[in-house]
Amino acid sequence: MSELIEVGVKLRDRALREGFEEAAVLVTHTESLMVKFANSEPSVVQRWSSREASVYLAKNQRLLGTSVPVGSLEEAYRLISELHSLHAKVPPSMLYAPLPEPEKPQPLEGLVDRKLIDVLHDPSSVSEAVVEAALRHSIDYFAGMFQVSYERKALVTSKGAELEEEATSLKMYIRSFAGEGSGQWALGSRRFDLQRIEEVASTASRLAFESRRQEDVPPGKYDVILSPMVVGNLFNIVADMATASSILMGASIFVNKAPGDKVASEQLTIIDAPRNSELPGSTAFDDEGVPTYSKPIVEKGVLANILHNTKTAAKFGARSTGNAGLIFPRVWALEVLPGGYSLDEMIREVREGLVVTNNWYTRLQNYIEGTFSTITRDAVLIVRNGEVVGAARKMRIADALPRMLNSIAAIGREVYDIHWWEVDTPTRAPYILFREVGTSKHTA
Amino acid sequence: MSWEYEDLVLKAVDYALSLGAGYAEARYHKVARSGVATRNGEFIGLEKSFREGVAVRVLVGGALGFSSTDTLTWGGVKTAVDEAFAKARAHSKLMKHPIELSHERLGRASYEALEKKKASGVSVEEKVAYCADVWKHVSTATTTARVATLTMSLGESVEEKVVANSDGALIRSRVPRVSIWYNVVVTVPSKGTVQRFFSHAASGGYEWVEKWDVLGYLPGDVKTFERIILEAVKPPTDRPVDVVVGSEIVGLMVHESCGHPSEADRILGREAAQAGKSFIKPDMRGQRIGSEVATVIDDPTIPGSNGFYLYDDEGVPARPRYLYKEGVINEFLHNRWTAKVFGTQSNAAARAMDHASEPIIRMANTYFKPGDHTLEELIEGVKYGVYIKSYMEWNIDDERWSQRYGGLEAYLIENGELKHLVKNPVLEITTRTFYSSVDAADRNLEFYAGTCGKGEPMQGVPVWFGGPNVRLRNIQLRVIA
C-alpha cells in the first residue's frame, strides 16, 4: 500500500468510526517549480511541496466536507470529529446521492515524463533556453513563466475504491514586447519538449514584432479570427457552463437547453478529453472513482452532454459522466476538433476583419443570455481583402456567446495546446473564424 | 492562535542566513475556513477546512527564491529553505539587475481584528435557516417575474500569521472574517432575465451579517430587477450626457483604474505577462490625471475592513496611501524591492494570500474620497443624463486605461429628477476621462467587498473598494445590445 493510499485509508476509516456512513478521500502530493520572468530576466524562482487531503463525508443524506494538509493527521481527525458533531444540525442535502460502486478504471499511459521531474530539480538550463529563444527576435523585452509539476494522487472511498495515479505537467507562457506591440503565447503539456518551449517564446516574440506599429480601428461588426489562446478562454467558459452545477446555479447559457438542442454551428465539436494523456488535466478516474471517458460537450453544433458527477446526475435523472469533483462536477481538459483550413486560407476568407491573438478579462453581464465583453491584449492583426495589412490598438469583443457559437465560418486544421492564466482548463484548440462579431471601444 | 510555529519560523531565517542568503524571510501562515452553501433555500453542504504551512524567501546573488511547504517539522522547513536557496543561487547568473530591498523600520508586534459576535459561536442551524429565510422572502417578492435561482453561501475564516525576517521583523497577527455571497436570477420567460452576483465580506464577526441585512434588502432588489425586465428602456446613446455613477461602481473604478496602475511592481513590469503593465510610468508622479475632486486613498488600517492589516508581510507598518491626490498622481504602492528601485520607502503593500504564495504588492481598502454634496444634489444638477447605481459586467485593459462597466440598475435623469429605468447602459471610458469628468462627489462613503486577483500562481486576497456617488459631465454612453 502506498503512503498516499495509507493516508486515505486512515482518514476514511476514522470517518466511518466516527459514525459517517460514507466517505471519499482524495490525497494529493504535489512537487512543483516555477520560474517567473520579467524584463527578460528571472523575477523569482518558486518551489512548492504540498500534501493535502480533501474529504467528502455523508450521513443521513447530509453532505459535509473538509480539506486539510496531511503532514500530521491529528488536526484532520479533529475536524472529522467536529463535522460529525455538526451533521445532525443541518438538513439533508438537495444534492445527496450515494457514492458509486467502485469500478476498475483503465490506467492512462503516458502521464509521467521523467524529464519534467529532472527539470523540477534543475530548471536553470530551461530558463536559459527560454531567454535565448525569446530574445532571438527583434523585441524590446519579454516576461512570462514556466512551471513544472509532479503530482501523485490517491482516492479511497467507503465503497471500496482505492485508486492511484501520478502525472507530470508543464505550463508556460511568454509575453514579448516590441515598440507599441506585444505578443503572447502559451503551452500546456504532460511532456517535456524543449523545441515546443522555445516555440512558445518564439511565437510571442514574432507576434510582438508584427504588431510593433499600431493604428486605431473603429468599433463595429467584423469578421474575426480568434487564435487558440482566445478560443481557449471563451470555450473554457462555455464548457464550464455545461457542468450541471453551473446550470443548477443559474450561471449557464444552457439553463434552458437540453442535450439534442442545436447550440452552435455544425462545424463545431468541443470535447471534454480526460483520456488525452498529452493534456494536463487528463486522468483515468474522477473524484468519486468513476472511470473517466472523453465525451463531446457540443457535437457538430448540437449540445451533446451535460457534465455530471453522481450527485448532479441523480438530480437530473442522468448518469455520471465521470466528471466528479468532490461536490460539484468539473471539466478535465478540452479539445476543439480541427477543421480543414490553414490560417492563411482563413485570412483569405476575410474581406474586412481582425485576427485577435490574445484576450483577457472576460466578464458576463448575464450568464443565461451569455452577453459578455473581453479585451484584446497583444497582437490584433488587421485583415483587408484577404491579407494582413497592419496591427490594431486594443479593443473589446462585446457580443453574446450563443450568437458567436452560431456564427462560426471556418475552423483551422492546426491545433495548439494552451494552458495559462486565462485558459485554466488545458485546451487543445485551432484558430476559428467567426462572422460579424461585435467589437467595442472606449468613447472618450 | 498558532504562535507555536514561531520557533520554526525564526530557525528558518537563521538557517537561510547560515547558507549564505543575503536576506531571509519566513512566514507561518494558516487560513481556516468554514461555510454553508444553499440553493433556493435548500441546503447543499457544509465545509470546514484549513491550509497552513511555512513560506520562505531568500535573496542569493541578487536572485529571489521562494519555497513553501505544509510539512511543519524542522525537516520539512529546512528542505524548503534549501530549495529556495539552491534555486535562487542557480538563477543568479541570469540576473541583470540584482534584487535589493529598501532599509525600513520594521515592526516587532502582535495584533488581531476583533469579533464583536464570534461567527463560530453562531449555530450552523441558524446560518442554514437564515439562507432559507432569505429565499422564502425573495421568491415571493415578485408579481410577474419568477425568481429562478438564488444560490447563497455564508462563510467565515480566520487568517493567522507569524512573519519574521533577517532585518529584524517579527509580526504575529490574527484576522477573522465573515462573508455572504449570492447569485440571484430573475426571469420573465417572454422578456428575458436579470442576474445579480454580489458579495459582502469584512473582518470581524457575525455582527456584520446582521448589519448587511440581506434578508431586509434583497426582496426589494428583486422587485427592482423585475421592473428592469418589464419597464426598462434603451439608455440615451445618441449624444453625450451627464452620468451619476453609484458608489458601487465608483469603488470598482478606483480599484481598477487607480489602485492597480499605482502598483509599483506593475509599473516596473514584474506582472507584464500576467495582470499586465500600467499606463503610469515611473516618472509620472506629480502629473495630473483628473479634476481636483479626484482623491483616491488606499488604507489597510480601517477597522473592520476586508483588507485589514497593521503590518505587511515584509514587516513594514501600514498607513493610508494617497494614490491620486486632488487629481494628481501622488504615490505608488510599494514593497521593499520597488521602494529600493524608486529610492523611497515601502508603504507596506506586500501581502501573500497563503503559505503557498510569495508576498507581492496588493491593494487593501481603496476608496474615492467623499465630497460635500448629497445624492439628491448630484441628481438635481443634471438636466439630462443617467444614474447608474449598480453593475454586472466590467473589465479594463492590462495597462488600466480603457475600462467598461455594464449597468444593472440605472435610471434616466431629466431636469434634475429620476425618471424611468434604463436597461444595460454601458460606461466605456478611459481612466483620464473618468477622473477628469468628475465634477462632484456626495458625502456618502460605502465600501464593497472583493477578492483581488494578481500574481502567478494567482493570489486572491480580500479587499474593500468604495467611495461616494459621483457625477461625470458629458459622457457618451453605449448599450449592451
Side-chain angles (χ1 to χ4, degrees):
Chain A
M1 188 186 293
S2 82
E3 175 212 359
L4 294 189
I5 289 279
E6 198 177 321
V7 169
V9 167
K10 281 181 181 169
L11 290 171
R12 176 196 64 190
D13 291 352
R14 181 64 174 234
L16 296 178
R17 275 204 306 278
E18 270 310 324
F20 282 107
E21 294 162 352
E22 293 176 89
V25 184
L26 180 68
V27 188
T28 55
H29 178 182
T30 308
E31 297 288 333
S32 188
L33 172 135
M34 178 191 293
V35 180
K36 187 176 170 189
F37 300 94
N39 297 311
S40 306
E41 62 184 333
S43 57
V44 63
V45 185
Q46 301 182 82
R47 179 76 169 84
W48 298 272
S49 175
S50 76
R51 292 192 311 150
E52 295 176 307
S54 298
V55 186
Y56 163 92
L57 301 159
K59 183 172 183 180
N60 295 332
Q61 305 196 2
R62 274 78 174 167
L63 295 188
L64 302 97
T66 184
S67 63
V68 288
V70 293
S72 156
L73 292 181
E74 289 309 310
E75 273 296 291
Y77 292 157
R78 191 189 61 73
L79 264 180
I80 289 170
S81 175
E82 192 181 339
L83 286 168
H84 188 259
S85 70
L86 290 172
H87 90 275
K89 299 178 179 176
V90 295
S93 171
M94 61 162 290
L95 271 184
Y96 173 77
L99 284 171
E101 294 299 326
E103 297 176 58
K104 217 169 173 190
Q106 183 69 30
L108 262 180
E109 300 297 323
L111 291 179
V112 174
D113 182 350
R114 295 283 155 194
K115 286 185 206 150
L116 279 179
I117 298 173
D118 292 342
V119 175
L120 185 67
H121 296 298
D122 183 11
S124 57
S125 61
V126 177
S127 301
E128 288 169 28
V130 167
V131 172
E132 199 279 323
L135 296 180
R136 211 175 287 155
H137 296 257
S138 266
I139 60 162
D140 300 334
Y141 57 95
F142 80 92
M145 71 87 164
F146 73 86
Q147 179 174 14
V148 291
S149 301
Y150 172 48
E151 182 184 273
R152 293 163 55 223
K153 71 171 182 176
L155 179 74
V156 174
T157 76
S158 51
K159 295 282 187 180
E162 290 188 9
L163 302 166
E164 275 190 284
E165 193 172 73
E166 58 177 350
T168 53
S169 61
L170 165 73
K171 177 182 183 182
M172 77 165 293
Y173 53 88
I174 296 295
R175 190 179 192 201
S176 298
F177 296 84
E180 283 185 279
S182 60
Q184 185 155 352
W185 208 254
L187 172 66
S189 177
R190 290 232 182 263
R191 318 269 161 80
F192 178 78
D193 182 337
L194 191 60
Q195 188 180 337
R196 289 180 89 191
I197 289 170
E198 290 176 342
E199 276 170 11
V200 170
S202 173
T203 302
S205 294
R206 176 177 55 77
L207 290 170
F209 185 74
E210 286 176 14
S211 60
R212 67 195 181 282
R213 281 187 284 275
Q214 302 186 351
E215 60 188 275
D216 281 316
V217 169
K221 298 265 186 198
Y222 291 101
D223 291 346
V224 174
I225 297 169
L226 300 183
S227 84
M229 300 276 286
V230 190
V231 168
N233 174 258
L234 296 183
F235 286 8
N236 263 216
I237 294 169
V238 170
D240 192 56
M241 286 176 162
T243 61
S245 49
S246 292
I247 292 169
L248 275 173
M249 304 304 165
S252 171
I253 56 173
F254 303 123
V255 161
N256 299 310
K257 301 284 182 190
D261 289 351
K262 184 178 183 303
V263 294
S265 303
E266 278 181 12
Q267 299 174 63
L268 183 66
T269 295
I270 306 174
I271 295 169
D272 172 53
R275 305 288 306 182
N276 182 344
S277 63
E278 293 176 11
L279 291 174
S282 50
T283 183
F285 56 91
D286 74 5
D287 291 0
E288 294 175 329
V290 174
T292 59
Y293 62 97
S294 293
K295 83 283 306 179
I297 294 169
V298 173
E299 186 169 27
K300 295 181 179 172
V302 171
L303 179 62
N305 280 291
I306 305 296
L307 304 181
H308 287 293
N309 58 13
T310 54
K311 284 171 267 298
T312 60
K315 190 90 184 158
F316 280 63
R319 289 170 60 87
S320 170
T321 55
N323 286 89
L326 277 180
I327 298 292
F328 294 122
R330 50 167 295 178
V331 186
W332 295 113
L334 285 180
E335 281 183 46
V336 182
L337 289 194
Y341 287 77
S342 70
L343 177 58
D344 285 342
E345 286 165 349
M346 249 189 267
I347 289 171
R348 282 200 289 277
E349 292 287 314
V350 175
R351 203 174 65 81
E352 182 163 21
L354 305 164
V355 181
V356 177
T357 63
N358 197 18
N359 69 314
W360 89 314
Y361 229 132
T362 306
R363 291 292 184 279
L364 282 91
Q365 176 78 0
N366 186 312
Y367 283 73
I368 292 167
E369 296 175 8
T371 45
F372 77 100
S373 70
T374 189
I375 313 178
T376 68
R377 63 185 246 172
D378 310 308
V380 178
L381 305 176
I382 302 166
V383 181
R384 289 200 188 102
N385 300 317
E387 283 183 18
V388 173
V389 296
R393 294 206 171 86
K394 290 173 199 166
M395 55 202 307
R396 286 181 178 77
I397 294 171
D399 211 310
L401 290 170
R403 197 211 67 78
M404 283 190 64
L405 289 173
N406 280 289
S407 70
I408 292 171
I411 296 182
R413 60 172 172 254
E414 298 259 346
V415 289
Y416 302 81
D417 296 342
I418 305 294
H419 193 198
W420 84 286
W421 241 46
E422 296 290 86
V423 183
D424 198 36
T425 299
T427 300
R428 174 170 288 178
Y431 282 87
I432 298 183
L433 167 59
F434 296 82
R435 295 287 187 204
E436 295 285 304
V437 175
T439 65
S440 187
K441 207 164 194 172
H442 52 258
T443 54
Chain B
M1 292 187 208
S2 305
W3 306 157
E4 61 186 291
Y5 296 110
E6 185 175 317
D7 288 347
L8 209 51
V9 164
L10 293 170
K11 199 170 171 183
V13 171
D14 288 343
Y15 177 60
L17 291 179
S18 76
L19 292 177
Y23 168 79
E25 167 193 295
R27 168 172 37 94
Y28 165 79
H29 201 149
K30 177 178 182 179
V31 181
R33 297 179 194 282
S34 62
V36 295
T38 64
R39 178 187 180 272
N40 292 0
E42 291 185 287
F43 175 71
I44 297 175
L46 180 154
E47 189 192 3
K48 207 167 175 58
S49 300
F50 74 96
R51 298 189 78 207
E52 67 178 343
V54 166
V56 174
R57 281 201 314 174
V58 295
L59 276 178
V60 183
L64 182 63
F66 169 88
S67 182
S68 160
T69 180
D70 54 17
T71 302
L72 289 171
T73 59
W74 173 239
V77 173
K78 178 178 177 295
T79 302
V81 175
D82 287 334
E83 283 286 335
F85 183 84
K87 299 299 184 288
R89 186 170 60 181
H91 282 77
S92 61
K93 61 179 180 282
L94 291 172
M95 299 303 297
K96 290 179 292 184
H97 306 91
I99 294 168
E100 296 177 74
L101 305 180
S102 61
H103 291 287
E104 304 288 345
R105 288 169 63 93
L106 302 177
R108 296 180 74 84
S110 301
Y111 69 93
E112 66 179 308
L114 300 177
E115 296 169 277
K116 285 183 188 153
K117 183 176 180 180
K118 280 191 177 298
S120 58
V122 177
S123 73
V124 68
E125 295 101 310
E126 187 176 329
K127 291 166 185 166
V128 173
Y130 185 79
C131 295
D133 214 17
V134 172
W135 166 250
K136 192 174 140 193
H137 286 81
V138 162
S139 61
T140 53
T142 54
T143 49
T144 305
R146 182 169 68 89
V147 181
T149 313
L150 172 66
T151 311
M152 185 168 170
S153 66
L154 213 159
E156 62 212 48
S157 69
V158 178
E159 183 177 22
E160 294 174 323
K161 290 188 268 190
V162 179
V163 175
N165 64 37
S166 55
D167 292 335
L170 179 58
I171 306 294
R172 308 177 192 90
S173 64
R174 179 180 187 277
V175 178
R177 293 185 180 87
V178 289
S179 64
I180 289 181
W181 173 91
Y182 61 80
N183 167 34
V184 63
V185 178
V186 180
T187 179
V188 177
S190 60
K191 295 214 168 225
T193 57
V194 163
Q195 182 158 38
R196 169 79 156 163
F197 279 92
F198 195 78
S199 59
H200 297 277
S203 59
Y206 206 74
E207 66 275 7
W208 280 104
V209 174
E210 291 158 2
K211 187 174 179 216
W212 295 326
D213 193 20
V214 175
L215 183 60
Y217 78 76
L218 196 54
D221 277 9
V222 162
K223 279 186 207 171
T224 304
F225 302 154
E226 177 182 46
R227 286 183 54 219
I228 292 170
I229 299 170
L230 296 173
E231 301 169 15
V233 299
K234 187 175 174 289
T237 56
D238 57 337
R239 62 190 139 140
V241 297
D242 294 342
V243 179
V244 175
V245 185
S247 62
E248 178 182 317
I249 305 171
V250 170
L252 183 63
M253 290 179 95
V254 296
H255 175 94
E256 300 290 8
S257 65
C258 174
H260 275 307
S262 298
E263 294 160 349
D265 55 349
R266 179 191 286 269
I267 293 168
L268 293 174
R270 193 181 195 262
E271 302 298 316
Q274 291 87 25
K277 299 193 293 179
S278 176
F279 74 88
I280 297 178
K281 305 304 171 203
D283 60 354
M284 281 175 67
R285 276 183 61 220
Q287 290 191 20
R288 181 158 289 283
I289 187 72
S291 74
E292 293 195 349
V293 178
T295 291
V296 180
I297 302 154
D298 185 76
D299 185 358
T301 68
I302 299 171
S305 60
N306 205 30
F308 174 77
Y309 62 89
L310 295 181
Y311 293 85
D312 78 354
D313 289 342
E314 294 180 329
V316 179
R319 63 167 174 82
R321 287 81 65 123
Y322 280 68
L323 305 179
Y324 297 166
K325 194 171 185 184
E326 296 171 357
V328 171
I329 296 170
N330 181 66
E331 181 178 9
F332 301 155
L333 290 168
H334 283 293
N335 61 11
R336 294 182 62 194
W337 166 62
T338 63
K340 177 72 177 177
V341 173
F342 280 88
T344 184
Q345 299 301 123
S346 168
N347 49 23
R351 195 151 59 121
M353 174 178 75
D354 58 18
H355 73 277
S357 305
E358 59 162 346
I360 55 175
I361 293 176
R362 309 309 300 257
M363 280 172 270
N365 307 296
T366 318
Y367 65 97
F368 195 109
K369 189 181 173 190
D372 54 4
H373 286 57
T374 64
L375 175 60
E376 292 70 28
E377 286 168 346
L378 294 183
I379 291 168
E380 279 166 17
V382 174
K383 193 155 185 286
Y384 186 65
V386 173
Y387 167 43
I388 309 178
K389 187 179 175 189
S390 58
Y391 68 94
M392 265 294 286
E393 173 194 327
W394 88 98
N395 49 40
I396 188 163
D397 75 51
D398 61 298
E399 290 186 301
R400 305 282 160 175
W401 186 248
S402 173
Q403 52 200 301
R404 172 178 165 113
Y405 305 89
L408 184 68
E409 181 181 350
Y411 301 85
L412 189 76
I413 305 171
E414 274 182 337
N415 298 318
E417 289 185 3
L418 287 186
K419 298 291 185 183
H420 53 74
L421 286 157
V422 294
K423 191 169 187 181
N424 288 339
V426 172
L427 190 60
E428 191 167 2
I429 56 179
T430 65
T431 294
R432 185 182 298 284
T433 300
F434 170 59
Y435 291 100
S436 302
S437 306
V438 180
D439 83 329
D442 74 12
R443 289 194 281 269
N444 295 301
L445 175 56
E446 295 289 334
F447 284 104
Y448 301 86
T451 300
C452 175
K454 184 181 172 185
E456 181 61 282
M458 171 69 84
Q459 297 187 45
V461 297
V463 296
W464 264 1
F465 35 76
N469 301 292
V470 306
R471 185 172 60 209
L472 311 183
R473 295 296 191 190
N474 213 29
I475 298 294
Q476 178 70 51
L477 291 175
R478 293 196 189 281
V479 65
I480 296 169

